[in-house]
Amino acid sequence: MLFPSHDTAEWLNDVDATVYERTAELIHVKEYGAVGDGSTDDTTALQNALTAANGKILVLGPLTYTITSSLTVPANIKIQGIPEVTTIKVKSSGSNLNILEKTTASTSLYVDGVIFDGNKTNVSTVDVNGIYLSSASVVKVTNCTFKNLNNSSNGGKGIYMSHATGAEVLEVISNVFTGIEGNAVQSYYVKRNIIQNNKGYDILTSFTDINGQSLLLNYDVVTDISGNTVYCNAAFPVANGIVTGK
């Protein structure tokens, strides 16, 4: 079985039918030369696999893939790892980096079971974010870990999502955020935010920062922030539920 924590039929059924059919093709990163030994630079291999997996499911093995620059996700994709095992780790970078990013219009991104490691001990002079999406519409992130993300000026974010004309849905469920120097979850102009059953440790700014309405948009923002647990010291500004805008 590819994904030991899921029944295969049930797992495929859970994927949004408007984006993936139950018989969707699986693509494995090893087909594109990813090594996953924790030291080889797998940036090019991962990027090639992501590009090829548009409209498909990209499978990551129980390995640590290191990168040195941002990875761009295609318009429609599910990325499937093995929870608490599969890792994408920043090896080094001389410029700001988003482990996964999308800066042009996209429809759907679903990520499950991946550790996003910013390696801030060795990457400490630039901004590093986990998932950074500035034009996404529907995003779901489950069973992932975001850790060691450095904030030099505007980084350290676990998940960032925005859309100039209003994104539809952001679901962040059953993830762990630790060593986050910015916001664990930050969304701008997303109509429906579901932030549930996540855990946060050692977060310096806030757990959630949900900004609803811009001057150009007029819609109600539906937000469900529930079941999250944040472990912090007394100096931490507990923002597990900041909602601004309409």
Side-chain angles (χ1 to χ4, degrees), residues 222-243:
V222 177
T223 300
D224 180 353
I225 302 176
S226 60
N228 302 293
T229 304
V230 181
Y231 298 90
C232 58
N233 58 41
F236 177 79
V238 179
N240 186 10
I242 290 180
V243 180

Side-chain angles (χ1 to χ4, degrees), residues 133-149:
L133 309 164
S134 57
S135 293
S137 182
V138 177
V139 174
K140 184 174 183 179
V141 182
T142 57
N143 303 308
C144 291
T145 298
F146 298 83
K147 66 180 185 178
N148 305 325
L149 300 175

Side-chain angles (χ1 to χ4, degrees), residues 73 84 115:
V73 296
E84 301 182 13
I115 298 171

Side-chain angles (χ1 to χ4, degrees), residues 30-60:
K30 67 182 180 182
E31 299 173 33
Y32 292 84
V35 178
D37 61 2
S39 59
T40 300
D41 185 354
D42 283 320
T43 306
T44 299
L46 286 173
Q47 185 58 69
N48 289 341
L50 284 164
T51 301
N54 186 32
K56 302 173 184 178
I57 301 169
L58 179 63
V59 181
L60 305 179

Side-chain angles (χ1 to χ4, degrees), residues 66 101 121 133 174 183 199-200 222-223 233:
T66 59
E101 70 175 9
T121 299
L133 309 164
S174 299
N183 305 103
K199 292 184 178 181
V222 177
T223 300
N233 58 41

Side-chain angles (χ1 to χ4, degrees), residues 2 4 28-29 36 59-65 80-87:
L2 283 172
H28 201 293
V29 291
V59 181
L60 305 179
L63 304 169
T64 296
Y65 305 95
Q80 180 67 58
I82 298 175
E84 301 182 13
V85 180
T86 300
T87 302

Side-chain angles (χ1 to χ4, degrees), residues 96-98 125-132 149-158 160 181-183 186 188 205 209:
N96 297 340
L97 183 152
N98 305 312
T125 60
V126 298
D127 290 328
V128 178
N129 298 301
I131 298 176
Y132 194 98
L149 300 175
N150 188 66
N151 179 19
S152 179
S153 60
N154 189 34
K157 297 176 175 63
Y160 174 90
E181 294 193 352
N183 305 103
Q186 186 173 18
Y188 281 82
T205 303
D209 185 1

